[in-house]
Amino acid sequence: MKRKIILLMLAALALLSASQPAAAQMERDGLMVKARLGYNIGATAPIGLPATIRSIESFKLTPNLMAGLEFVCPLSERLGVLVGVRYDIKDMDGEVTTKGYHMKVKMDADELEGLYTGHVRQIVRQRMLSVPVQLTCELGPRVQLKAGPYVSMLISKDFYGYAFDGYLRKDDPTGIKVVMGSKDGEWATYDFGGDMRRWQMGVDLGIDWAFYRQLGLTADLSWGLTGIHHADFKTVEQTLYPIYGTIGLSYRFF
């Protein structure tokens, strides 16, 4: 799926380049067209680290690539409106230590729910098409600021992991103690990918700097305003938001 979407974007770029009359008309109208390629750095996390998460043990980099097209229509000499389409990967692979963290897990054939103390590995996979709509401001011939909302449709989504080297108090803090080991077959697993939203919304702000002719450096911050799970999902005690920064390159066609 990822390769097909990137190929479609490249085909659209080739079409723009080949269609000289259309390109000339866009240039006369002042329309700016950019291609972007970048890398997303961030996490799907609660706002503020809760007391039940005691420490972050590890955080692995994942192949969070971004590719997109942007169209900017001028409103005045400095202001414009940007509409784009992006293919985003926003994955996460991390491990935390918890104490009294509410969880629902599976161990062998049993489903257990209660308060967990120990290590948790959490893996999030999100592939999405995102459409930003932003107001742009030209600070000069080479620098552009932009900010506005975005909406994303998830093409694929996963949320799973396992709890290990700890124990779960079933139902409440004084419930039956169920011990999870540190080896395969001794730990408990969870999978809440089916509870994730298909649509996400948020805000995006960034800056572009044209450092050489049509080439530019870009930096963006996207902050999800909707949690990644449905509103009625209460198994994970905090709402988790996708918060990612993007660094990359841009190429301006005209």
Side-chain angles (χ1 to χ4, degrees):
M1 178 64 75
K2 177 176 69 175
R3 290 180 180 176
K4 289 181 180 178
I5 291 170
I6 292 176
L7 285 173
L8 282 173
M9 288 181 172
L10 291 174
L13 291 177
L15 216 60
L16 278 173
S17 300
S19 179
Q20 294 299 325
Q25 183 61 48
M26 288 180 180
E27 191 167 8
R28 284 195 297 271
D29 293 341
L31 187 68
M32 181 191 302
V33 181
K34 285 183 182 180
R36 289 162 50 83
L37 183 66
Y39 183 80
N40 296 318
I41 304 171
T44 300
I47 304 300
L49 203 63
T52 50
I53 297 179
R54 293 306 175 97
S55 63
I56 298 173
E57 300 298 328
S58 68
F59 191 88
K60 298 180 180 179
L61 290 177
T62 50
N64 290 348
L65 298 179
M66 180 278 297
L69 286 173
E70 292 179 348
F71 302 85
V72 180
C73 180
L75 298 176
S76 66
E77 185 178 346
R78 297 181 60 190
L79 299 178
V81 173
L82 179 152
V83 178
V85 59
R86 300 192 305 248
Y87 175 75
D88 277 309
I89 301 176
K90 293 182 178 179
D91 291 353
M92 187 185 78
D93 187 344
E95 183 183 319
V96 298
T97 299
T98 69
K99 184 172 183 180
Y101 187 81
H102 181 261
M103 289 192 70
K104 182 188 288 185
V105 297
K106 286 185 178 180
M107 194 171 185
D108 297 326
D110 298 325
E111 188 174 83
L112 307 170
E113 186 170 1
L115 302 178
Y116 177 74
T117 298
H119 294 267
V120 177
R121 184 178 177 188
Q122 182 172 290
I123 299 167
V124 182
R125 301 277 187 253
Q126 300 180 102
R127 271 73 170 166
M128 62 189 73
L129 286 176
S130 302
V131 177
V133 179
Q134 300 174 319
L135 182 68
T136 66
C137 179
E138 305 292 334
L139 297 186
R142 292 180 174 272
V143 180
Q144 180 189 77
L145 295 179
K146 53 190 179 180
Y150 72 86
V151 62
S152 298
M153 181 187 72
L154 273 69
I155 301 167
S156 65
K157 51 190 176 70
D158 291 290
F159 185 100
Y160 63 94
Y162 50 89
F164 64 99
D165 199 14
Y167 63 89
L168 181 138
R169 290 286 186 181
K170 194 175 179 182
D171 300 327
D172 58 58
T174 60
I176 298 172
K177 183 178 182 180
V178 182
V179 177
M180 286 84 174
S182 57
K183 298 178 182 178
D184 189 7
E186 298 177 351
W187 55 50
T189 63
Y190 61 91
D191 187 343
F192 304 127
D195 298 291
M196 294 176 68
R197 297 177 188 267
R198 178 65 62 183
W199 295 89
Q200 295 180 3
M201 295 182 65
V203 292
D204 197 333
L205 57 92
I207 184 170
D208 288 7
W209 172 51
F211 65 89
Y212 179 73
R213 295 184 179 177
Q214 289 116 314
L215 287 175
L217 291 173
T218 68
D220 296 83
L221 175 65
S222 62
W223 195 293
L225 300 179
T226 53
I228 66 167
H229 293 105
H230 296 297
D232 58 356
F233 178 75
K234 304 298 181 185
T235 304
V236 176
E237 62 184 52
Q238 294 89 20
T239 302
L240 304 178
Y241 299 93
I243 304 168
Y244 285 82
T246 307
I247 55 173
L249 293 171
S250 67
Y251 182 85
R252 177 175 174 175
F253 290 90
F254 41 82

